[in-house]
């Protein structure tokens, strides 16, 4: 089987997903095109250099609808002969794009791909596509559907995580992100996004709150308590599914949950032949990929079985992994991962995560792969694992090895 390598990884800064966010003036297509152009220019890709652009985005409606990947190719400086494939695996869409590209290369279906994703959450609201699992009564009742925030609180209740533990993880995420930016750890991968006149719009992640402390977070009211206990009363649905729980402990709020942001990211994936043809040196080999389905009510536990599967399939042990990126959708997701594998927290999300910098749904999977690669290089380490929880009960993972 042909080996699949990562040659480059780039991303935009993450802007606040609001009308006053720095990136709000850009559409998903426009931001995607800027990232694709950066991949093209940084790696000297001319003509029909790659087989396809595989692009993830979650809320595929309105200006994020249609085949956004093809629109982004046409809006960019890439050759019009390069097609585009838009995919959606919810929060893992960007990772799934990279994994799909890698497996296409490994299977001999082309030598090079650009893969990644985008989400402009300030322009296209999460949930505005009317996902069936949330709005179809028959499916929602069958699956005991509850919103993700309730799912995160179920994890905390089931596995015994406290509000203080979740808040401490959030404070540490903010501290690590601020330190990473101060030390220039993202300089290689983060693009300065400019407007149509070439003037800079955003150069750093905009969402961070580095002054966050336990006292600040302690003043925040649980975000999902009312929808759980009052109207529409999702706690009752959860307790029907998990009758062994006496009640749901609501520990999550805006400060220990991922931020709503805008952003895009791309990874250049190719064979050894692709690298030779374009004079490029591979940075990492994609060792393994995995995806799983999980309980759709608790929903967000997917990183655990996805990691179990990828380790079994690859023959790699958990202690062989040097660094981990576990998407901080909610604090309890990361706490559960660390608990399940007895992983040293110092090895997880070394540069902070989505609690500090935000979670642009369709892009995050590609972002954390790039962040993992940069950190493996900075620390001169070899193996890294990236994983995400996924809406409606799924999980995905990728293992990369520096070369």
């Amino acid at each position: 089987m042909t080996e699949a390598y990562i040659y480059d990884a780039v991303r935009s800064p993450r802007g606040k997903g609001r009308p006053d966010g720095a990136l709000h003036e850009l559409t998903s297509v426009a931001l995607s095109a800027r990232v694709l152009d950066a991949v093209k220019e940084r790696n000297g890709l001319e003509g029909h250099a790659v087989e396809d652009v595989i692009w993830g985005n979650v809320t595929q409606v309105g200006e994020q609808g249609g085949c956004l990947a093809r629109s982004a190719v046409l809006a960019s400086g890439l050759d019009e002969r390069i097609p585009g494939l838009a995919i959606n695996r919810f929060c893992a869409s960007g990772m799934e794009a990279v994994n799909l590209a890698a497996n296409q290369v490994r299977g001999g279906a082309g030598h090079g791909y650009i893969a990644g994703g985008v989400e402009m959450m300030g322009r296209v609201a999460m949930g505005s596509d009317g996902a069936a699992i949330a709005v179809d009564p028959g499916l929602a009742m069958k699956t005991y559907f509850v919103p993700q925030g309730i799912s995160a609180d179920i994890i905390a209740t089931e596995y015994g995580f406290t509000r203080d533990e979740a808040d401490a993880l959030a404070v540490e995420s903010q501290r690590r992100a601020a330190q990473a930016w101060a030390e220039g750890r993202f300089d290689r991968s983060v693009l300065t996004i400019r407007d149509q006149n070439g003037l800079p719009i955003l150069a750093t992640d905009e969402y961070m709150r580095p002054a966050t402390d336990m006292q600040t977070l302690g003043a925040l009211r649980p975000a999902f308590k009312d929808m759980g206990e009052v109207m529409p009363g999702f706690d009752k649905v959860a307790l029907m599914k998990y009758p062994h729980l006496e009640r749901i402990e609501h520990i999550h709020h805006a400060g220990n949950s991922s931020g709503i942001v805008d952003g895009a990211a791309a990874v250049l994936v190719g064979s050894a032949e692709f690298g030779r043809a374009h004079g490029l040196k591979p940075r990492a080999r994609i060792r393994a990929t995995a995806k799983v389905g999980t309980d759709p009510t608790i929903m967000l536990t997917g990183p655990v079985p996805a990691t179990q599967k990828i380790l079994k399939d690859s023959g790699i042990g958990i202690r062989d992994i040097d660094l981990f990126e576990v998407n901080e959708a909610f604090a309890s997701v990361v706490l559960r991962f660390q608990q399940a594998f007895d992983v040293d927290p110092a090895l997880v999300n070394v540069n902070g995560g989505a609690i500090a910098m935000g979670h642009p749904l369709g892009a995050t999977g590609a972002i954390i792969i790039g962040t993992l690669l940069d950190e493996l290089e900075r620390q001169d380490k070899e193996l890294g694992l990236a994983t995400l929880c996924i809406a409606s009960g799924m999980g995905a993972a990728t293992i990369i090895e520096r070369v």
Side-chain angles (χ1 to χ4, degrees):
M1 183 178 290
T2 302
E3 297 282 8
Y5 298 96
I6 295 175
Y7 286 93
D8 200 8
V10 298
R11 71 169 177 93
S12 74
R14 287 169 270 201
K16 294 177 182 177
R18 304 196 306 245
D20 63 349
L23 298 179
H24 186 74
E25 67 186 75
L26 298 176
T27 66
S28 302
V29 170
L31 184 62
S32 298
R34 282 164 169 75
V35 173
L36 293 176
D37 282 340
V39 175
K40 175 180 183 292
E41 293 162 9
R42 285 161 58 116
N43 298 283
L45 304 179
E46 298 297 335
H48 196 173
V50 295
E51 188 76 18
D52 203 356
V53 170
I54 306 176
W55 213 240
N57 68 291
V58 174
T59 309
Q60 298 187 347
V61 66
E63 65 188 47
Q64 284 191 170
C67 184
L68 192 153
R70 176 59 175 165
S71 297
V73 169
L74 295 175
S76 75
L78 292 175
D79 193 298
E80 66 179 13
R81 293 172 294 174
I82 298 172
L85 171 64
I87 66 167
N88 183 0
R89 199 187 289 281
F90 294 130
C91 297
S93 296
M95 173 176 285
E96 189 61 32
V98 175
N99 290 352
L100 180 57
N103 291 327
Q104 294 274 73
V105 169
R106 293 165 80 182
H111 289 289
Y113 287 79
I114 300 174
V118 67
E119 206 79 30
M120 297 298 290
M121 300 180 74
R123 295 179 64 95
V124 183
M126 180 171 53
S128 58
D129 54 346
I133 195 164
V135 303
D136 182 328
L139 182 59
M141 291 176 65
K142 177 183 178 182
T143 57
Y144 294 88
F145 170 81
V146 298
Q148 288 188 23
I150 301 292
S151 298
D153 287 337
I154 296 171
I155 294 173
T157 307
E158 176 71 18
Y159 295 101
F161 304 127
T162 67
R163 168 75 178 258
D164 281 351
E165 288 175 310
D167 286 357
L169 186 145
V171 170
E172 181 64 6
S173 180
Q174 295 281 359
R175 187 196 69 79
R176 292 182 183 188
Q179 180 180 1
W181 272 107
E183 294 180 1
R185 298 184 192 178
F186 299 130
D187 288 354
R188 178 172 184 174
S189 300
V190 176
L191 313 170
T192 296
I193 302 300
R194 302 178 183 275
D195 65 16
Q196 59 186 2
N197 298 313
L199 298 175
I201 299 173
L202 187 63
T204 60
D205 290 323
E206 185 181 29
Y207 183 80
M208 296 187 300
R209 297 178 177 87
T212 298
D213 57 24
M214 293 293 286
Q215 290 70 34
T216 303
L217 297 185
L220 298 178
R221 190 172 186 276
F224 310 104
K225 185 178 178 68
D226 285 350
M227 72 169 64
E229 296 179 355
V230 188
M231 290 295 293
F234 282 110
D235 283 7
K236 293 180 180 179
V237 177
L239 293 173
M240 289 173 63
K241 181 71 174 287
Y242 313 110
H244 62 284
L245 300 177
E246 293 184 5
R247 62 189 296 259
I248 306 302
E249 299 293 340
H250 294 286
I251 71 166
H252 288 92
H253 49 74
N256 60 26
S257 307
S258 56
I260 294 174
V261 295
D262 304 326
V267 178
L268 180 60
V269 178
S271 63
E273 182 179 333
F274 173 84
R276 288 191 293 269
H278 296 278
L280 301 174
K281 181 180 179 180
R283 296 173 62 190
R285 177 165 62 111
I286 298 179
R287 284 283 301 268
T289 68
K291 62 270 188 185
V292 298
T294 64
D295 179 344
T297 307
I298 202 168
M299 193 185 306
L300 307 174
T301 55
V304 174
T307 296
Q308 291 169 336
K309 184 178 191 302
I310 202 170
L311 294 175
K312 180 179 179 181
D313 291 350
S314 65
I316 296 171
I318 191 71
R319 304 301 169 206
D320 297 324
I321 304 295
D322 296 306
L323 295 171
F324 301 86
E325 284 288 322
V326 183
N327 185 40
E328 295 175 353
F330 298 90
S332 63
V333 174
V334 182
L335 291 170
R336 172 57 188 148
F337 181 89
Q338 293 173 173
Q339 179 192 65
F341 296 104
D342 191 26
V343 171
D344 182 352
L347 305 179
V348 181
N349 303 342
V350 171
N351 297 308
I355 289 174
M357 294 175 283
H359 175 19
L361 306 177
T364 301
I367 289 175
I368 66 173
I369 289 173
T371 299
L372 181 61
L373 174 56
D374 285 344
E375 188 61 21
L376 286 170
E377 291 175 338
R378 189 183 76 86
Q379 293 195 28
D380 193 25
K381 298 290 180 64
E382 292 186 10
L383 282 175
L385 183 149
T387 184
L388 302 93
C389 60
I390 308 174
S392 76
M394 294 184 282
T398 306
I399 292 176
I400 63 174
E401 179 185 22
R402 279 185 58 214
V403 296

